[in-house]
Amino acid sequence: MANRGPSYGLSREVQDKIEQKYAAELEARLVGWIVAQCGDDLERPEPGKQNFQKWLMSGTILCRLINSLYPSGEEPIKKITETSMVFKQMEKISQFLQAAEDYGVNRGDIFQTVDLWEGKDMAAVQRTLMALGSEALTKDDGHYRGDKDWFHRKAKIHKREFSEEQLRQGRSLIGMQMGSNRGASQSGMVGYGTPRQIMRHDSPRHNGHQSNP
């Protein structure tokens, strides 16, 4: 983990809450999936959050992971270079994050580069990888490798398409549902500004009879 000064007060409390969200059982699942996707030549890390962070922080494994979800020749990251230069490693992490979003991972599930590089929020890293695994499983295009029970399959959206005639009929129906003045008349209405006549309940006119003059 990169060297950082100690946290005090509120920042320490926030960091503690973030670290509590990190799940060791998800770590084992994600390591298994990444190895299955990238190949058995990939050396597994020792269990533990810091070991998991160091395993991924160069960006190389993440780039290999996203590339493994595409057909040969269509990989989003064309060149993966091994380097110890910090900015190059962070650049590879950024490339992975952009490629993961392009693949279909929701932007709200994407971690920030410093979350991994500085170990600020490894739970967010897990969330991104879990979202990527679910997306890969849901696509079902033959590029997902590993146990299908490791991730949940996303619900598919059934998009309905309507013909122009159906849309026209729908607009007509909605117009009728909004109301119609067909058959309406001014019968029984008095002109605007006409004083309202108040009659006693026993008045002949009130009962529908005209009195003789």
Side-chain angles (χ1 to χ4, degrees), residues 64-100:
R64 287 181 60 181
L65 173 63
I66 193 67
N67 278 355
S68 71
L69 299 174
Y70 286 84
S72 178
E74 298 181 17
E75 296 87 351
I77 303 175
K78 303 303 180 183
K79 187 176 182 180
I80 305 174
T81 58
E82 291 287 354
T83 177
S84 59
M85 300 177 67
V86 172
F87 78 95
K88 284 292 185 181
Q89 292 183 351
M90 296 183 75
E91 184 180 76
K92 284 190 287 184
I93 296 174
S94 296
Q95 287 179 313
F96 162 77
L97 295 176
Q98 183 59 59

Side-chain angles (χ1 to χ4, degrees), residues 32-61:
W33 177 53
I34 293 171
V35 171
Q37 281 292 146
C38 297
D40 293 335
D41 63 309
L42 196 61
E43 185 176 351
R44 292 173 177 263
E46 291 294 322
K49 182 171 61 177
Q50 291 188 357
N51 293 325
F52 187 59
Q53 179 213 355
K54 291 178 181 178
W55 191 54
L56 298 176
M57 65 185 296
S58 72
T60 298
I61 292 176

Side-chain angles (χ1 to χ4, degrees), residues 170-213:
R171 287 192 291 267
S172 175
L173 179 61
I174 292 174
M176 293 179 64
Q177 289 176 339
M178 293 176 64
S180 171
N181 62 1
R182 182 177 301 174
S185 73
Q186 293 182 338
S187 176
M189 296 180 63
V190 297
Y192 291 110
T194 303
R196 182 180 180 185
Q197 297 181 1
I198 302 176
M199 295 178 290
R200 292 175 54 185
H201 73 280
D202 56 351
S203 168
R205 293 184 62 185
H206 183 273
N207 295 320
H209 301 289
Q210 295 291 339
S211 61
N212 294 326

